Amino acid sequence: NAARNAGAPGGTVIHGKGTGNSAEKFYNVSIAEEKEVILIVSAASQKSEIMRSILENAGPGTPAGTVVFSLPVSEAVGFGLI
């Protein structure tokens, strides 16, 4: 919601499991922490506002503990832009 409120056009959610920390065990079965990765493609002019909104509303100091980073996109296909 924080990204959408800042003008993000949408996103893709990918479910994953953390492997960095030692997993908890339940009856000797390892249980990995589940995470969600949200990918957002936006115009470069919107990037800072979207990132700032996510950090303020769901960043490391909140229960969500979100980490935000940006990667440049030089080409994209399949977004209905062509």
Side-chain angles (χ1 to χ4, degrees):
N1 290 336
R4 191 172 298 278
N5 290 341
T12 299
V13 178
I14 300 172
H15 298 282
K17 293 186 179 179
T19 60
N21 298 329
S22 58
E24 292 184 34
K25 294 205 176 218
F26 180 74
Y27 287 108
N28 209 27
V29 175
S30 295
I31 301 173
E33 183 178 344
E34 292 189 6
K35 302 173 185 260
E36 290 182 340
V37 177
I38 302 173
L39 306 175
I40 299 169
V41 177
S42 70
S45 61
Q46 294 177 298
K47 178 186 77 167
S48 294
E49 186 176 347
I50 292 170
M51 292 179 74
R52 186 175 12 262
S53 180
I54 293 169
L55 284 174
E56 289 173 357
N57 293 286
T62 69
T66 301
V67 175
V68 180
F69 64 92
S70 171
L71 297 172
V73 176
S74 58
E75 293 183 40
V77 177
F79 286 95
L81 303 174
I82 301 174

